[in-house]
Amino acid sequence: MSINKVMLTGNLTRDPDLRSTAGGMPVLGFGIAVNERHKNNSTGEWEDHPNFIDCTMFGARAQSVSRFLSKGSKVAIEGKLRWSQWERDGQKRSKIEVIIDEIEFMSRNNQPESEEAPVVDASIYDTNIPF
């Protein structure tokens, strides 16, 4: 048995990109920065080292969520890792991304009209659709 589950909090590194598959399913893509703290042995100071993570969300909720996100928004996400590879201009490329099952808005500026930040369950959508 294996488990593929990841939970992260971070800030969007760019505005989200909403597009559609050939079949018309909305696909939302964005990146988040997740900081790792390390103590600098030379200075004794704590330093943040960002990790940049690509994130993808599928389905009708992706379209709804896109209205509340922008560069700098803080989010908590839960999902699974997916590795993909392709060839461009004769070079093999690959990446690991998080396929989002749930997202929670953590910034005040990206919350819907109600005061509570909603948790969006995207697990009902099939994320294995090629696009």
Side-chain angles (χ1 to χ4, degrees):
M1 182 171 106
S2 61
I3 297 172
N4 182 357
K5 186 169 195 138
V6 63
M7 296 189 304
L8 301 168
T9 62
N11 295 79
L12 269 68
T13 59
R14 61 184 185 272
D15 286 333
D17 175 34
L18 183 63
R19 56 191 194 285
S20 295
T21 64
M25 177 180 285
V27 179
L28 182 65
F30 57 88
I32 64 170
V34 178
N35 285 333
E36 233 182 291
R37 296 203 87 183
H38 297 281
K39 192 170 192 175
N40 183 322
N41 292 333
S42 302
T43 65
E45 298 289 321
W46 287 95
E47 298 175 348
D48 288 332
H49 297 276
N51 291 295
F52 299 101
I53 312 292
D54 288 328
C55 302
T56 304
M57 185 175 189
F58 293 88
R61 293 214 175 156
Q63 191 168 10
S64 298
V65 165
S66 70
R67 296 180 296 156
F68 301 107
L69 297 177
S70 60
K71 182 178 178 178
S73 298
K74 187 167 184 77
V75 294
I77 61 170
E78 184 177 317
K80 56 191 157 290
L81 295 176
R82 180 174 70 181
W83 179 74
S84 56
Q85 69 179 37
W86 66 96
E87 193 171 311
R88 181 184 295 159
D89 300 328
Q91 290 188 330
K92 288 188 176 185
R93 299 180 180 257
S94 64
K95 74 174 181 175
I96 294 177
E97 65 185 326
V98 175
I99 304 301
I100 299 172
D101 293 325
E102 295 184 28
I103 185 168
E104 184 174 341
F105 306 124
M106 298 180 74
S107 295
R108 190 170 194 99
N109 64 340
N110 64 356
Q111 292 185 16
E113 292 180 19
S114 73
E115 290 188 24
E116 284 188 39
V119 174
V120 179
D121 181 3
S123 61
I124 61 174
Y125 300 104
D126 181 8
T127 58
N128 294 321
I129 298 173
F131 53 93

